Amino acid sequence: MSLSVSIFGLGYVGSVSAACFASMGHKVIGVDVSRAKVEMLDSGRSPIVEARVGELIAEANQACRLHATINATQAVLDSDVSFVCVGTPSLRNGKLDLSHIEHVAREIGAAIREKKSPHVFVLRSTVLPGTTETVVLPILEKESGKQSGRDFTVCYNPEFMREGSAVADFLQPPYTILGARDSSHLTPLRELYKNTPGTLYETAIPVAEMVKYFSNCYHALKVGFANEMGTMCKHLGVDAQAVTKIFTSDTKLNISPAYLSPGFAFGGSCLPKDLRAIAYKAKELDLKLPLLESLMPSNAEHVDRAVEMVLGTGKKKISQLGLSFKAGTDDLRESPQVQLIKRLMGEGLEVRIWDEDVSLGRLAGSNRQYIEEVIPHIGSVLSADLEGVLRGAEVVIIGNKSVDRDTLSKLLRPDQTVIDLVHLDKDRRPDRTGVYEGICW
Ligand SMILES: NC(=O)c1ccc[n+]([C@@H]2O[C@H](COP(=O)([O-])OP(=O)(O)OC[C@H]3O[C@@H](n4cnc5c(N)ncnc54)[C@H](O)[C@@H]3O)[C@@H](O)[C@H]2O)c1
């Protein structure tokens, strides 16, 4: 089944989308406020310089599947679905300028007022979560005098193409993300993307909006990281390419979902120490590596957030399950869980701790000495009796992944607030009806 699609904004995203949807056999109408771009597309020429776009546009235009107009109303009346690909540039202060989107939403809303059949509005521009539902949707309802979900539908479909390989990225994306309030709103989009390879995710609109920022911020982070580490390599006389090649070949820890689950601060005997060593070496070499230097302060900020979260409950009796930086070890060096406990004690809260790997009775050698000499106040509230530790608690902090789901399900009460620092997988979480939250999820 071929659909009729209008595309608002004939810049990079809009021109590529128009060319590719038309090449898939759909009827496409391009819309722009720029007469020059409209004239180019309408005469079969590409408004942008991008590989393969020119030929796809010329072919589709000749086959009468692609034309362009500056008449927004006519484009909506003549199409089933409108994709909005207008720019969302930065204002001087960094805030997103939504004026182009708001303008198009008013135009499309006014056109929907005149339209007899239902229309699908799809936002493709990059916008912060909440924009589609709290900015765009109300404008559409106001201008159309109609109700979203009944008379027309609103979806969000982020674009992941890269300029330079945009057509290939469009036709073979890693995945397609469709956001809607109700999956029934996505029927025409499923049809449009039915031959597109890669996983198709159907999700909530704010999730679809946020995936784009999660991705782009991560890409920026990767570039910054590679450049800073490469700079360090060069100044140490190390072959950065050889290091990168070996590093990226590890798909277990390095190029993988490992360390990418929003949870608690990092700690232990290696990461903080090694980061400090690199930051110190950078100073010796007169190098500025702001990204790497920002990681320890970022981590400390996360411990602050945990303290604020516990204090925010207004409760005084706190039990923490897990004291070492991860399950299965008694190593307490630079454990952020220990830092958290110290801060909570400093706030005058009544704290109790259970950790099966760190009970004083079992500890020997350096770790016993560490507790007795460096954190004796923590040693005094440490217990091996899980039931006893949980009994009096108003807030239970899950500090590492050693907790057993069934035992916890039995011992926790619905009136207790659970703060899960480590983001346990759903199937490992205790069954419960009370509050269950993380710091950053
Ligand atoms: N360029 C990319 O590689 C890329 C990739 C993914 C997502 N995005 C996002 O997609 C959006 C569009 O990016 P772009 O690079 O294509 O922008 P662009 O600036 O190249 O194109 C925007 C187009 O919208 C037109 N426009 C503005 N107001 C209009 C209106 N009222 N009616 C019709 N057309 C109007 C402009 O004239 C322009 O042609 C942005 O939110 C961007 O962040 C861009």
Side-chain angles (χ1 to χ4, degrees):
M1 185 176 99
S2 86
L3 286 163
S4 180
V5 173
S6 51
I7 296 196
F8 285 72
L10 298 175
Y12 288 90
V13 172
S15 295
V16 171
S17 304
C20 292
F21 282 134
S23 77
M24 292 171 182
H26 302 291
K27 188 180 154 225
V28 176
I29 309 162
V31 186
D32 204 292
V33 286
S34 157
R35 236 172 236 284
K37 287 187 179 181
V38 166
E39 279 170 15
M40 285 185 86
L41 192 72
D42 205 41
S43 60
R45 287 173 298 144
S46 172
I48 58 159
V49 175
E50 177 65 41
R52 293 177 60 196
V53 172
E55 57 197 85
L56 293 182
I57 286 178
E59 261 172 42
N61 184 258
Q62 267 197 342
C64 297
R65 282 197 310 273
L66 176 62
H67 78 278
T69 174
I70 54 166
N71 188 335
T73 308
Q74 200 56 50
V76 172
L77 294 177
D78 290 347
S79 60
D80 310 298
V81 183
S82 291
F83 283 92
V84 174
C85 311
V86 297
T88 49
S90 295
L91 294 170
R92 274 172 71 90
N93 59 7
K95 188 179 174 197
L96 212 54
D97 177 0
L98 295 178
S99 59
H100 302 291
I101 287 190
E102 289 165 351
H103 184 94
V104 176
R106 282 194 291 275
E107 285 186 321
I108 296 182
I112 289 175
R113 183 182 281 272
E114 292 180 29
K115 201 173 171 187
K116 302 275 178 288
S117 54
H119 196 71
V120 183
F121 178 103
V122 186
L123 187 57
R124 208 153 161 69
S125 306
T126 303
V127 291
L128 288 164
T131 307
T132 307
E133 287 177 303
T134 63
V135 177
V136 175
L137 194 149
I139 295 177
L140 289 168
E141 289 197 324
K142 180 165 176 261
E143 297 296 326
S144 66
K146 294 182 178 175
Q147 198 183 326
S148 159
R150 191 190 64 193
D151 309 313
F152 66 94
T153 47
V154 174
C155 307
Y156 186 75
N157 170 218
E159 171 55 60
F160 292 95
M161 62 170 231
R162 295 161 296 172
E163 287 172 25
S165 56
V167 171
D169 289 345
F170 187 101
L171 296 175
Q172 276 153 336
Y175 43 53
T176 300
I177 301 175
L178 304 178
R181 279 191 170 171
D182 189 303
S183 72
S184 66
H185 300 171
L186 295 173
T187 309
L189 295 187
R190 271 184 222 120
E191 177 64 28
L192 269 174
Y193 286 111
K194 72 174 180 209
N195 294 323
T196 304
T199 310
L200 188 133
Y201 290 102
E202 299 188 1
T203 184
I205 290 175
V207 172
E209 291 170 320
M210 193 62 188
V211 172
K212 182 69 190 167
Y213 282 97
F214 219 97
S215 309
N216 276 359
C217 290
Y218 185 53
H219 299 163
L221 178 74
K222 283 168 85 172
V223 173
F225 174 79
N227 287 341
E228 287 197 2
M229 289 307 285
T231 302
M232 186 50 118
C233 289
K234 189 172 171 79
H235 280 79
L236 294 173
V238 178
D239 180 344
Q241 261 182 321
V243 175
T244 317
K245 196 170 169 209
I246 296 171
F247 171 85
T248 52
S249 72
D250 171 359
T251 52
K252 266 193 181 163
L253 297 184
N254 296 346
I255 310 301
S256 78
Y259 304 113
L260 270 176
S261 171
F264 194 39
F266 60 77
S269 61
C270 294
L271 302 193
K273 172 177 77 73
D274 298 351
L275 268 171
R276 275 195 293 267
I278 284 285
Y280 187 85
K281 193 71 202 169
K283 259 192 222 132
E284 271 186 351
L285 293 167
D286 272 338
L287 291 176
K288 278 204 176 122
L289 305 179
L291 177 60
L292 293 168
E293 285 161 19
S294 71
L295 294 176
M296 290 300 284
S298 163
N299 207 41
E301 200 61 46
H302 208 56
V303 176
D304 288 352
R305 277 191 281 272
V307 174
E308 279 159 25
M309 193 168 176
V310 176
L311 295 179
T313 64
K315 306 277 170 56
K316 298 277 179 251
K317 293 180 178 170
I318 317 295
S319 289
Q320 181 165 305
L321 313 182
L323 186 59
S324 57
F325 76 102
K326 64 178 172 187
T329 175
D330 62 350
D331 192 350
L332 294 178
R333 284 174 295 176
E334 305 227 30
S335 158
Q337 287 78 351
V338 171
Q339 291 167 31
L340 174 60
I341 289 287
K342 279 175 151 176
R343 298 272 301 275
L344 296 179
M345 287 175 138
E347 293 287 342
L349 303 187
E350 195 182 307
V351 178
R352 305 201 64 196
I353 309 163
W354 171 88
D355 188 319
E356 65 178 359
D357 299 307
V358 192
S359 67
L360 271 184
R362 283 182 59 196
L363 279 185
S366 61
N367 272 331
R368 187 177 184 100
Q369 197 183 356
Y370 179 84
I371 292 188
E372 285 172 351
E373 288 175 6
V374 185
I375 46 172
H377 48 312
I378 288 187
S380 67
V381 294
L382 193 56
S383 163
D385 171 15
L386 179 58
E387 197 172 345
V389 164
L390 288 176
R391 197 178 302 122
E394 295 170 303
V395 176
V396 176
I397 301 171
I398 300 185
N400 67 33
K401 296 189 176 175
S402 61
V403 285
D404 171 64
R405 178 179 192 270
D406 294 337
T407 318
L408 268 191
S409 299
K410 253 186 266 151
L411 297 177
L412 285 173
R413 302 187 308 272
D415 62 297
Q416 292 170 318
T417 295
V418 178
I419 299 179
D420 173 356
L421 298 181
V422 291
H423 205 169
L424 288 177
D425 287 341
K426 286 223 165 74
D427 59 357
R428 292 196 54 196
R429 288 183 203 166
D431 297 329
R432 59 174 288 104
T433 50
V435 178
Y436 191 97
E437 279 188 275
I439 314 173
C440 53
W441 50 272

